[in-house]
Amino acid sequence: MKPMITAKKMLAASSLLSLIVLSACSGGSGNSSVADSGNNAAAAAVSSNTEEVTVSLSVMTADRFLQLAEQKFEEQHPNIDIEIKEYEAAPSAEGNNKMMMTKMPDPQTTEKYASSIGAELMSGKASDIIVMNGLPAAKYADKNLLADLGEMMKNDASFPMGHYYTDIFEAMKYNGVLYTVPAKVELNLWLGDKSVIDGSNVDDNAWSWADFKNAAQTWLKDDNGDGQSDRYPLGKIEPVQLMTLMLNSSFSNFVDTAGKRASFDSQEFTGMLELAKSFYDEQIIYTDGADNANVVIQPKAKTMGYMDMYMMPKMSSFEESAAYYNLPSENEQRGTQFTSSMPLAINSKSEHTEEAWEFVKFLLSDEMQSANELNGIAVNKNGAKAQEENLKNLGQNQGNGGQGGGKKLMLNINGKTADMEPATDADIALIEEVLNRPKVYAETDPKIAAIVTEETAPFFQGQRSAEETAKIIQNKVGTYLLE
C-alpha cells in the first residue's frame, strides 16, 4: 500500500453535476449570510487553550470540502492543526475551468484502507477522526473502538440539534448509539415517468421488490408484436449494481452483526436471487440494442447533490412528467434510503477527543454545510436552505466580471443539452419535499457486500443455482463475522 499522504494544499476532484454550482454561483465558500450561532462560542472555548494540538483525520481520498474545512477551522483555532491523512490522492483537474468526474475507488485500495485502519484501531494508533466510508463501523463499535457521538451532541450546549435533519442521525445509530455521523448524504432515489407509474396506483413508500415487479409487468409494451419490448420498466443496470441495491434495502434481514450471525441460506434470500434474475429474463430491465429513451425508470439510484436533484429531471426523457420515487425495500422501516460518502467517527482512544469533536461539529456547522464545496446533501437545515438559494442564482453571475451579460451556462449530458436556468420556487418546493423524506440508512458492510456481488455473478450467468450460491455466501459471511 502506498504511504499515507498529508492532504494540505491539494485539490481534489468532485462530481461534475454538483461542481457546476461552483462555477454557476458566486464565490466558493457558500452563503456568507448564513448565521452559525453557537459554533463561534464553542470555538472560542476550545481556542482559549493555548496548547498546540494536532488532530489527525484518516480518509480514503480527501475532497475539496474537507480541505476547505481544514483551512477555515485552523484559521479560527490557531492552536489546533488538522492533519488529513489520505490513503489515495484524487486526480487533479487541469486548468482553471476543467472539472473531472470522481472515479470510483479501486476495490483493492478500499480493502487495503480497511485493513490498515482496522490494524491501527486495534493497536491504539488510529487517527483521532476516521472517515468510515468503506469500513465496517458496526464491527469496530462492537469492540468499543468508536466514541459515542450522540452523547457528545447531548452534552454540548453549543450544538444546535434543531438545525439538523435528526431522522438521519436516528437512522445512523447502531444498537441505539450514534457512532458515526454523516457530514453529507446521498439519496437513493429513482427518477421515473409519473404518467406511467402513477397510473399503477403504486405506493413507493411501502413497495417491496416483488411489488415493483408486479407493477413493472404492466408497464411493458410491445407495439410491433416482435416479441421484444418497446418500453422497459427499468433502464440498463448490471446485476452487481442490482444486487447491491437489493442487499442494502434488506441487509438487517440477513446479517446480525452484533450476534455475529448470517442467514443467507434462507428461502428469503434465494427468493431474492430468483426475483432479481427474473428482471432480466422477463425484460423488466433494458437490454442492449433497445432504445434507452424508452424506459419508465432511469436506473441511477444515487442522487449526489442539489444540482443532481434539480437538473436530472430536466435532462431526462420524461421532461414535465419526471418525478422521484423511493427504491423498493424489504426493510420494515419506511422512508427514503440514504448513504454517506463522509460518515465521521471519533477514535474512542483518542487523546484529543474534545478537539476532534470540535472539528466534527465544524463540518456539520451552518457555515460548512452551506459551502458550495459540500458536493452532497446537507444534514443541516440552514445549510440546505443556502444550497437551495444557490440554485435560485444559477447563471446569474456568469461573464462580465460576475456582473452578468456573459455566455449562458449550458449543460450537456449524453447529447442532451439544457440551459442552466435559475431554479423557481416550485423547483425548490419539490426539492424540499424530498429532503424531508430520508429516514432509512442503506446499511451494509463493504466486505459482505463484496462477497455477495462476487458470488452471485455465476448465478446470473446460469452457472450456479440460487441454493448453491446462498450456501457459499452463508459460509463466507459467517466466517467473516466471527473474525
Side-chain angles (χ1 to χ4, degrees):
M1 184 179 69
K2 294 189 296 185
M4 292 182 293
I5 306 166
T6 300
K8 301 263 189 185
K9 301 180 181 179
M10 184 277 293
L11 181 65
S14 296
S15 86
L16 178 61
L17 282 180
S18 297
L19 261 179
I20 290 175
V21 178
L22 298 179
S23 61
C25 305
S26 59
S29 58
N31 190 328
S32 59
S33 66
V34 175
D36 203 359
S37 59
N39 195 60
N40 291 335
V46 173
S47 296
S48 63
N49 184 357
T50 58
E51 180 184 356
E52 293 288 332
V53 174
T54 296
V55 173
S56 55
L57 181 150
S58 289
V59 63
M60 171 73 76
T61 300
D63 62 7
R64 181 64 186 126
F65 172 73
L66 202 55
Q67 295 156 12
L68 179 65
E70 173 194 19
Q71 173 190 332
K72 287 179 170 289
F73 185 84
E74 289 179 346
E75 289 172 355
Q76 298 176 24
H77 305 78
N79 64 305
I80 302 177
D81 175 49
I82 302 298
E83 180 186 16
I84 299 178
K85 295 181 177 179
E86 189 180 31
Y87 283 69
E88 183 179 56
S92 298
E94 300 177 0
N96 294 328
N97 299 315
K98 292 185 178 180
M99 292 174 287
M100 300 179 66
M101 296 293 289
T102 301
K103 68 173 184 177
M104 294 297 292
D106 178 73
Q108 291 185 337
T109 303
T110 300
E111 187 169 344
K112 290 179 180 179
Y113 173 62
S115 297
S116 179
I117 294 296
E120 291 172 3
L121 279 168
M122 294 301 293
S123 66
K125 298 179 181 179
S127 293
D128 302 295
I129 304 170
I130 303 169
V131 177
M132 301 297 292
N133 193 26
L135 302 178
K139 292 193 74 171
Y140 299 154
D142 285 338
K143 299 179 187 300
N144 299 316
L145 298 174
L146 306 180
D148 184 344
L149 299 181
E151 278 298 301
M152 294 183 183
M153 292 178 179
K154 179 181 176 181
N155 296 328
D156 188 342
S158 70
F159 186 75
M161 189 64 80
H163 288 200
Y164 297 92
Y165 296 102
T166 53
D167 283 341
I168 291 176
F169 294 168
E170 283 296 316
M172 294 287 290
K173 288 182 177 180
Y174 172 64
N175 286 342
V177 180
L178 186 64
Y179 293 106
T180 60
V181 63
K184 51 188 172 182
V185 298
E186 302 81 42
L187 305 183
N188 286 2
L189 293 166
W190 274 340
L191 185 69
D193 184 346
K194 65 182 179 182
S195 68
V196 176
I197 298 173
D198 291 358
S200 304
N201 295 317
V202 297
D203 179 5
D204 70 311
N205 288 313
W207 64 350
S208 66
W209 287 97
D211 294 331
F212 162 70
K213 180 183 176 180
N214 290 336
Q217 288 174 324
T218 69
W219 304 338
L220 288 165
K221 187 166 67 170
D222 181 9
D223 291 330
N224 57 16
D226 64 353
Q228 191 75 14
S229 182
D230 297 311
R231 182 173 68 190
Y232 289 83
L234 185 62
K236 185 175 182 180
I237 180 172
E238 298 297 333
V240 62
Q241 298 169 304
L242 178 62
M243 283 308 304
T244 298
L245 294 180
M246 297 181 79
L247 178 63
N248 288 355
S249 73
S250 57
F251 185 80
S252 60
N253 294 1
F254 305 116
V255 180
D256 176 4
T257 304
K260 301 183 183 299
R261 293 187 298 270
S263 55
F264 287 99
D265 54 352
S266 62
Q267 185 175 350
E268 182 180 359
F269 185 69
T270 56
M272 177 183 288
L273 288 178
E274 296 287 5
L275 179 63
K277 191 171 185 298
S278 73
F279 292 164
Y280 297 94
D281 295 341
E282 299 176 27
Q283 299 186 23
I284 300 295
I285 293 177
Y286 164 91
T287 57
D288 290 330
D291 185 354
N292 196 31
N294 291 334
V295 298
V296 179
I297 293 175
Q298 292 184 352
K300 178 183 177 182
K302 187 169 288 188
T303 304
M304 301 295 293
Y306 296 88
M307 184 61 71
D308 268 2
M309 294 179 67
Y310 174 55
M311 289 304 300
M312 280 174 59
K314 299 181 183 301
M315 299 299 293
S316 74
S317 59
F318 310 139
E319 299 179 346
E320 297 300 320
S321 189
Y324 284 109
Y325 295 89
N326 290 327
L327 269 65
S329 174
E330 307 301 327
N331 199 314
E332 292 182 0
Q333 294 176 297
R334 295 304 181 185
T336 298
Q337 301 169 36
F338 68 90
T339 58
S340 176
S341 61
M342 194 175 286
L344 304 162
I346 293 179
N347 180 0
S348 63
K349 295 181 173 58
S350 168
E351 296 180 357
H352 306 297
T353 302
E354 183 178 350
E355 291 82 3
W357 165 242
E358 285 301 319
F359 186 60
V360 169
K361 186 168 65 174
F362 184 68
L363 290 168
L364 302 176
S365 68
D366 293 7
E367 177 180 355
M368 288 309 303
Q369 292 282 300
S370 65
N372 288 330
E373 291 84 349
L374 180 67
N375 195 25
I377 304 294
V379 298
N380 179 308
K381 294 177 182 177
N382 291 337
K385 289 188 180 298
Q387 300 289 350
E388 291 165 4
E389 286 299 315
N390 286 341
L391 294 179
K392 289 184 178 181
N393 296 322
L394 278 177
Q396 298 303 293
N397 297 311
Q398 299 306 299
N400 194 22
Q403 301 302 312
K407 292 182 178 179
K408 180 176 291 188
L409 191 62
M410 306 284 288
L411 182 64
N412 187 302
I413 297 180
N414 296 331
K416 186 176 177 64
T417 303
D419 294 339
M420 297 291 287
E421 298 288 348
T424 65
D425 289 341
D427 292 326
I428 298 302
L430 288 174
I431 290 174
E432 287 186 342
E433 190 275 327
V434 172
L435 292 181
N436 286 310
R437 285 161 41 181
K439 294 182 180 180
V440 181
Y441 180 45
E443 177 190 9
T444 189
D445 179 300
K447 180 67 174 180
I448 294 176
I451 291 172
V452 171
T453 54
E454 178 181 352
E455 296 301 335
T456 54
F459 166 73
F460 282 101
Q461 295 165 3
Q463 300 171 2
R464 185 188 291 163
S465 71
E467 289 73 21
E468 290 174 311
T469 301
K471 184 177 181 180
I472 292 171
I473 293 173
Q474 174 70 14
N475 289 338
K476 288 193 173 184
V477 173
T479 300
Y480 165 71
L481 290 173
L482 292 173
E483 291 176 354

